Amino acid sequence: MLNVTKAVFPIAGLGTRFLPATKASAKEMLPIVDKPLIQYAVEEAIAAGITEMIFVTGRSKRAVEDHFDKSYEIEAELEMRGKTQLLDIVRSIKPSHIDCFYVRQPEALGLGHAVLCAEKMVGNHPFAVMLADDLLEGDPPVMKQMIEVFDHYHSSVLGVEIIAPEDSTSYGVVAGKEWEESIIKLSGIVEKPEPNVAPSNLGVVGRYILKPRIFEHLRRIKPGAGSELQLTDAIQSLLADEQVLAYNYRGRRFDCGSKLGYLKATVEFALRHPEVAQEFGAWLESRWSSAQAKA
């Protein structure tokens, strides 16, 4: 069984929830304090032992490619000014043993179509799919946890978490039987079901490990919700051929695809940031005290 060394990052979406900020720039480049969302996802992949990053891009995504490229001008300027700490930060964005590849998704035809665009680069290898909108924290990192599950069972693995019943219309929801603690053997998966017909309270988050046979099913399925190729539909089809597992990961997720989730992540990470944590925390406390006094 081949190791998981490739990760696909579908980043061709328009980011309409964050307009006008995303009109001409990638939503994946929105910063959480001083680091863009996509970098958090790539760092999670690197921590899991993944060395090949495949970005499925679209219009206005050039900034992502530039971010992971070498910047001679910035590095020369920082070196000349003796700003070695900042220089180290810039150079660490893409470690030398990591390779980045880019492929265009010509039309926004859904997550399944985005994954299919990466087929030639993935080849006959198992691979991760990571959505930067979901900022996940875990110890060990969530993708590392999932690769350990994959290495043990040699099956495709979907990251899931417990969701509120009323939120089922925002998730792919899995059906299945718990095999052992946190491991569910899938019998089905439904895209955005109504709460009264959702098969469980486990929703899929933006982390997948898929075996290459998924590409056969992505080519076979017909457009689903929103006239798009849904990855969920291909996984449901895959179940007829092979075992698929869901893994209730250990960690915490920030839904940075929504304004509220993005703001929560920004506050949480700012309160840990060595440069601003103390002063920002004091400011937040004063704001809270002021609001309580007015209430």
Side-chain angles (χ1 to χ4, degrees), residues 30-271:
L30 291 172
I32 303 295
V33 187
D34 55 5
K35 187 188 298 184
L37 281 169
I38 189 64
Q39 188 174 335
Y40 286 98
V42 167
E43 288 177 353
E44 182 187 337
I46 293 171
I50 292 171
T51 57
E52 296 180 47
M53 313 298 166
I54 302 168
F55 300 91
V56 182
T57 72
R59 182 183 173 276
S60 301
K61 304 294 179 172
R62 181 59 187 267
V64 174
E65 187 171 348
D66 289 342
H67 182 70
F68 291 103
D69 197 2
K70 185 177 181 67
S71 176
Y72 293 96
E73 297 85 358
I74 290 177
E75 291 187 19
E77 183 73 13
L78 292 174
E79 194 164 19
M80 183 182 71
R81 296 188 180 191
K83 296 186 175 182
T84 55
Q85 187 173 3
L86 282 176
L87 182 61
D88 290 342
I89 290 172
V90 169
R91 286 176 172 169
S92 69
I93 291 172
K94 190 190 83 66
S96 59
H97 70 289
I98 299 300
D99 293 316
C100 294
F101 304 94
Y102 302 87
V103 59
R104 276 278 184 136
Q105 184 182 17
E107 295 180 77
L109 298 177
L111 177 57
H113 181 260
V115 172
L116 189 57
C117 287
E119 180 179 12
K120 289 183 179 179
M121 291 187 175
V122 169
N124 194 34
H125 293 260
F127 64 103
V129 176
M130 304 180 68
L131 307 185
D133 284 359
D134 281 339
L135 175 51
L136 268 60
E137 290 190 302
D139 185 18
V142 172
M143 183 49 63
K144 184 174 178 62
Q145 296 175 36
M146 292 178 63
I147 286 178
E148 289 173 356
V149 174
F150 174 83
D151 288 343
H152 184 76
Y153 292 103
H154 306 302
S155 300
S156 294
V157 184
L158 317 181
V160 297
E161 68 180 19
I162 295 173
I163 60 172
E166 62 269 20
D167 292 336
S168 63
T169 54
S170 299
Y171 293 84
V173 180
V174 302
K177 182 178 181 181
E178 189 170 52
W179 216 359
E180 59 179 89
E181 186 178 1
S182 301
I183 306 289
I184 299 93
K185 183 178 180 180
L186 259 64
S187 59
I189 180 170
V190 184
E191 180 70 13
K192 300 179 179 178
E194 292 296 327
N196 60 323
V197 295
S200 75
N201 65 343
L202 291 173
V204 179
V205 300
R207 298 293 184 274
Y208 308 77
I209 298 176
L210 299 169
K211 296 174 77 174
R213 198 165 188 178
I214 191 67
F215 293 121
E216 297 175 24
H217 294 270
L218 284 167
R219 287 192 296 271
R220 187 183 304 166
I221 62 173
K222 298 184 183 300
S227 299
E228 298 179 340
L229 286 184
Q230 298 292 340
L231 183 57
T232 299
D233 293 342
I235 293 169
Q236 175 64 46
S237 177
L238 180 65
L239 283 169
D241 290 341
E242 61 185 53
Q243 175 177 277
V244 179
L245 303 176
Y247 171 63
N248 190 0
Y249 68 91
R250 304 185 307 277
R252 182 180 181 187
R253 178 176 71 104
F254 295 93
D255 177 12
C256 293
S258 71
K259 291 185 179 74
L260 181 59
Y262 176 77
L263 291 171
K264 287 179 179 179
T266 299
V267 171
E268 184 74 30
F269 280 70
L271 288 172

